[in-house]
Amino acid sequence: MAHGEDASSTSHDGSARPARPVKPASGVRQGNVRRVLDALRLDGPSSQAALARRTQLSPATVNAIVKPLRADGVAEVRPVNGRESLVALVASQAAVVAVQVNVAAMRAALFDFGGRVRLVASVPLTA
């Protein structure tokens, strides 16, 4: 494409039509979302700029990930001052389960994203 040309293609009748934007593969997007969620889960609330540095994603990509997380209630933005805000996970919106199995029993614990234990259960195992 020459300098100054737009990204358009030609239709069958010869008229110009705008090119469709190229969307990243869903697997790539899912991986990027996972990187942002992991950073928030492991390191706690962060600015979007810090998330971009830590995940090695562009600030625009981080912003595009944070918006739907906010809309879905998974993340919230907490103002720090007039200019800065922090992105944080909403602890009650997701959980992590840890399971331990040994010869005598199975034990499971449910944690929220804040790391608080929400439920612990133990079941004896019999032969």
Side-chain angles (χ1 to χ4, degrees), residues 30-51:
Q30 288 175 351
N32 291 344
V33 170
R34 182 176 312 215
R35 287 162 70 179
V36 170
L37 288 172
D38 285 347
L40 289 169
R41 187 176 51 79
L42 295 172
D43 301 326
S46 300
S47 68
Q48 287 190 34
L51 284 170

Side-chain angles (χ1 to χ4, degrees), residues 34-100:
R34 182 176 312 215
R35 287 162 70 179
V36 170
L37 288 172
D38 285 347
L40 289 169
R41 187 176 51 79
L42 295 172
D43 301 326
S46 300
S47 68
Q48 287 190 34
L51 284 170
R53 286 190 300 272
R54 199 162 40 253
T55 59
Q56 297 181 339
L57 297 171
S58 73
T61 298
V62 170
N63 189 14
I65 290 168
V66 168
K67 281 182 181 181
L69 291 177
R70 286 181 66 195
D72 293 342
V74 175
E76 63 187 2
V77 175
R78 301 175 184 163
V80 173
N81 56 39
R83 186 166 175 224
E84 186 180 11
S85 59
L86 298 178
V87 179
L89 293 174
V90 177
S92 63
Q93 293 300 314
V96 176
V97 177
V99 179
Q100 177 187 33

Side-chain angles (χ1 to χ4, degrees), residues 8-32:
S8 61
S9 59
T10 306
S11 65
H12 294 295
D13 65 0
S15 62
R17 63 178 176 193
R20 287 180 280 180
V22 177
K23 293 184 179 180
S26 63
V28 171
R29 174 140 178 94
Q30 288 175 351
N32 291 344

